Amino acid sequence: MKTERLQVLIETEQRERLERVAARRGVSVASLVRRAIDVAYPSGLEQKAAIAAGILAAEPMDVPDPDDLRAELDVIRGRA
């Protein structure tokens, strides 16, 4: 894994909080920060947002009522 150095200024209370959590978990502050970034900004987020936007922008279409749809899916799955 390629790593890069990043300098970020945070408040003293934030640093102390990170240090307490890191000590309790037995990990480094840096690993907590990397994990927080992954949770807040998961990779592929932009791609997922674009897909969602495409779905939301699609023209409305008629769909069968749930019972008819279930029956249609059963036929497709070979359960009819």
Side-chain angles (χ1 to χ4, degrees), residues 29-69:
V29 169
S31 69
L32 281 183
V33 172
R34 286 190 295 269
R35 176 70 179 131
I37 291 168
D38 287 343
V39 168
Y41 306 102
S43 69
L45 188 60
E46 294 85 7
Q47 181 182 11
K48 290 177 184 176
I51 292 168
I55 291 169
L56 293 173
E59 290 293 321
M61 58 187 230
D62 292 329
V63 294
D65 69 71
D67 289 332
D68 291 341
L69 181 57

Side-chain angles (χ1 to χ4, degrees), residues 10-24 27-29 32-33:
I10 60 174
E11 296 176 8
T12 301
E13 189 278 328
Q14 291 172 315
R15 182 186 50 78
E16 291 169 349
R17 190 172 2 138
L18 285 170
E19 288 173 348
R20 285 191 305 271
V21 172
R24 192 169 52 244
V27 298
S28 68
V29 169
L32 281 183
V33 172

